[in-house]
Amino acid sequence: MSSGPGADSAPAPHDTRKKTAPGEREGRAERPARTSMFSSLRIRNYRLFAMGQLVSNTGTWMQRIAQDWLVHSLTGSATAVGLTVALQFLPMLLFGLYGGVLADRCAKRRLLLITQATMGLTGLALAALTLSGSVQVWHVYALAFALGLVTVVDNPARQTFVAEMVGPAQLRNAVSLNSANFQSARLVGPAVAGVLITAVGSGWAFLLNGLSFLAPITGLLLMRASELHSSKPVRRGKGQLREGLAYVRGKPELMWPIVLVGFIGTFGFNFPIWLTAFTERVFDQGAATYGLLNVLMAAGSVTGALLAARRASSRMRLLVGAAALFGLLLSAAALTPWFWLFAALMVAVGLMGLTFNVTANSSVQLATDPVMRGRVMSLFMMVFVGGTPIGGPLMGWVTDVYGPRIGLLAGGGIALLAAVLVALALARAAGLRLRLDLRRGSRGLSFVPREPLPVSPLASPASPAQAAEAAEAADGPAPEADPGDGPRADGPQNRAAREAVPGGTR
């Protein structure tokens, strides 16, 4: 079982990095080598999966744009768009954890064949209603909710199946490429959807999305089962849901990233609401401009995902920093009066949002024991997208009542505040405090240990090992930590927490 992240990153369940010798400074330990950007694609099963997902993701983005525009056309309300998004993710909020339990119990490839086929059928049903001219807004609501029910099982199964295809050594790279895949489809899907909506209507976008699920189904059927790193399914038993929650609660390197993901996902990722409102009410444009803004955001997201694929580690400090910068960029976009600057900021917003998402996803997966991964990732996805039924209508209401700029500014402000509070919580858990130092050459604000070891004024030990021996000789042996007292100040969990804070000690 993984013991959690060290100073640099969350290790894989089978960490092969060089261990620090006794008495050796940890900063001299061998750093993980930079990986190839597309190394996961050398694995045949993952290659089939990635190709199928690229086709399906393109269809998914086409449906998202067409669905948002269809609801806005039928109702003229940003709140209705938010309600549609909320209904699609409400099942994740209500039943998300049960989906993780099911993913841990079942063979994931078989489970994915069922969920992908069902999701394709929902797209075809919406296409039939729209092309026949009988579609009403409640039809869209009902099918969005049905799609959400399937996603409850599909999301944790698909997230954890990546580890079975590539193994722990390539997991971080594969997670990054999955995000790049999804966002690359976002470059094509919205553009095609914009053309189809303008030329022939939303129904054809829904039809193509339904048919696109044939690609991942074919890829799953062509995989070689003998080459999968399949984990043994968990036997059915009582208390497995509570066991997963207790597991996360006992590991700060899982709990705090998931808390931050919850706030960002609930209040910061409401772009269907904000971009439709900005397109019509602020810039007085149509569907083509709405598609363009989504394409620009996707371009930034692809860049962020590809950069993450080259990264050999996922620092907690990067996670919090990306969340804070994401909030600042949203706030800047809300205040700019110029369309060209707003459009350029969407590229930066996409890059930072995807950097945050990939870092959180890979860190959480790599710090989780494989037998718990389905439940942990279902909690991750539940707080990330399951908060949308709360944040979507709320941000839609703020946007309708106070205007698009205030709505977007509120989302950015909440994201920034959440990043700051989580950074402070991580510092507190690590036994750090905030120090203000205005002397020349100092960092200004930095985090330092709350209670540093006393050092004799007569002599200074030559090494950290000698410092520990001197402190023990002066104060006596340290008492054993009680499990309820929290992590020790020098433990691996606290080193990970200090990484979350810019300027934190290592």
Side-chain angles (χ1 to χ4, degrees):
M1 181 179 293
S2 172
S3 60
D8 291 330
S9 66
H14 303 288
D15 196 5
T16 58
R17 287 181 293 176
K18 179 182 176 182
K19 305 297 181 184
T20 305
E24 183 182 0
R25 293 183 63 88
E26 188 175 4
R28 295 177 184 173
E30 184 177 321
R31 299 180 65 87
R34 187 176 294 274
T35 59
S36 167
M37 184 177 289
F38 302 104
S39 57
S40 298
L41 293 176
R42 300 189 188 106
I43 301 169
R44 179 182 181 275
N45 284 343
Y46 181 73
R47 220 168 32 245
L48 289 169
F49 177 84
M51 289 188 293
Q53 288 297 309
L54 181 61
V55 176
S56 177
N57 287 335
T58 302
T60 296
W61 275 112
M62 290 171 59
Q63 173 149 328
R64 284 191 177 188
I65 302 301
Q67 178 178 280
D68 295 338
W69 200 258
L70 175 63
V71 172
H72 201 270
S73 301
L74 291 172
T75 64
S77 169
T79 303
V81 177
L83 181 58
T84 306
V85 177
L87 285 169
Q88 186 167 327
F89 296 117
L90 180 62
M92 183 64 71
L93 179 64
L94 298 177
F95 313 115
L97 293 176
Y98 294 98
V101 172
L102 188 60
D104 280 338
R105 288 178 182 173
C106 300
K108 295 175 181 60
R109 186 167 66 138
R110 187 181 307 156
L111 204 57
L112 285 172
L113 284 169
I114 297 171
T115 58
Q116 295 287 298
T118 308
M119 293 168 81
L121 291 175
T122 62
L124 294 175
L126 187 55
L129 287 168
T130 308
L131 292 173
S132 66
S134 58
V135 67
Q136 299 179 35
V137 70
W138 73 265
H139 293 145
V140 185
Y141 290 161
L143 287 169
F145 186 77
L147 182 62
L149 285 173
V150 183
T151 305
V152 165
V153 180
D154 182 80
N155 250 329
R158 186 160 35 84
Q159 296 278 344
T160 55
F161 187 57
V162 173
E164 293 193 1
M165 287 184 288
V166 302
Q170 293 291 339
L171 180 57
R172 184 180 285 110
N173 179 263
V175 168
S176 301
L177 290 183
N178 274 356
S179 297
N181 185 322
F182 188 70
Q183 299 301 332
S184 297
R186 190 176 180 180
L187 290 170
V188 179
V192 175
V195 172
L196 287 175
I197 293 169
T198 304
V200 293
S202 301
W204 290 98
F206 301 142
L207 177 62
L208 291 177
N209 174 57
L211 296 175
S212 71
F213 282 92
L214 292 172
I217 291 171
T218 302
L220 289 167
L221 292 172
L222 291 176
M223 286 183 184
R224 296 170 182 163
S226 60
E227 297 178 7
L228 294 173
H229 302 256
S230 299
S231 57
K232 188 176 180 180
V234 177
R235 290 184 177 181
R236 184 183 182 90
K238 294 182 179 180
Q240 290 177 334
L241 188 59
R242 291 192 300 272
E243 183 186 8
L245 293 173
Y247 178 80
V248 171
R249 189 168 58 247
K251 293 172 72 72
E253 67 271 30
L254 296 179
M255 184 178 71
W256 289 115
I258 288 176
V259 168
L260 184 55
V261 161
F263 277 98
I264 302 294
T266 300
F267 300 104
F269 277 80
N270 291 290
F271 298 109
I273 298 167
W274 294 323
L275 294 187
T276 52
F278 266 81
T279 299
E280 280 203 334
R281 295 165 59 182
V282 176
F283 301 119
D284 194 26
Q285 300 293 321
T289 299
Y290 177 60
L292 172 65
L293 292 175
N294 278 277
V295 167
L296 291 173
M297 187 179 295
S301 298
V302 171
T303 303
L306 292 178
L307 290 174
R310 291 180 59 84
R311 198 175 295 123
S313 63
S314 299
R315 293 173 180 263
M316 296 285 282
R317 172 167 42 190
L318 174 64
L319 177 71
V320 178
L325 190 51
F326 175 76
L328 285 172
L329 289 168
L330 286 182
S331 302
L335 298 175
T336 181
W338 302 292
F339 173 79
W340 63 268
L341 182 56
F342 181 88
L345 284 170
M346 288 302 102
V347 178
V349 165
L351 191 152
M352 277 301 109
L354 207 285
T355 298
F356 166 77
N357 193 12
V358 167
T359 304
N361 189 310
S362 58
S363 295
V364 168
Q365 286 210 56
L366 288 170
T368 303
D369 192 279
V371 298
M372 302 293 296
R373 195 168 283 152
R375 279 163 283 181
V376 172
M377 290 312 296
S378 68
L379 178 61
F380 179 95
M381 296 306 299
M382 186 187 79
V383 300
F384 184 56
V385 300
T388 304
I390 301 170
L394 179 59
M395 291 294 103
W397 177 80
V398 171
T399 300
D400 276 341
V401 174
Y402 298 101
R405 293 191 184 278
I406 297 299
L408 184 56
L409 186 62
I414 292 173
L416 177 59
L417 180 62
V420 172
L421 293 178
V422 167
L424 292 173
L426 283 165
R428 182 177 179 82
L432 302 176
R433 63 179 176 84
L434 190 64
R435 181 177 69 181
L436 176 63
D437 189 349
L438 300 179
R439 292 177 297 180
R440 184 188 301 272
S442 68
R443 291 184 177 182
L445 280 176
S446 62
F447 285 91
V448 297
R450 206 178 274 129
E451 296 178 1
L453 288 172
V455 179
S456 169
L458 301 178
S460 178
S463 71
Q466 293 172 353
E469 292 173 3
E472 186 173 2
D475 298 333
E480 279 195 16
D482 184 82
D485 290 338
R488 293 187 177 183
D490 61 343
Q493 294 175 350
N494 292 328
R495 290 199 301 274
R498 286 194 289 271
E499 285 295 331
V501 186
T505 58
R506 293 188 58 183

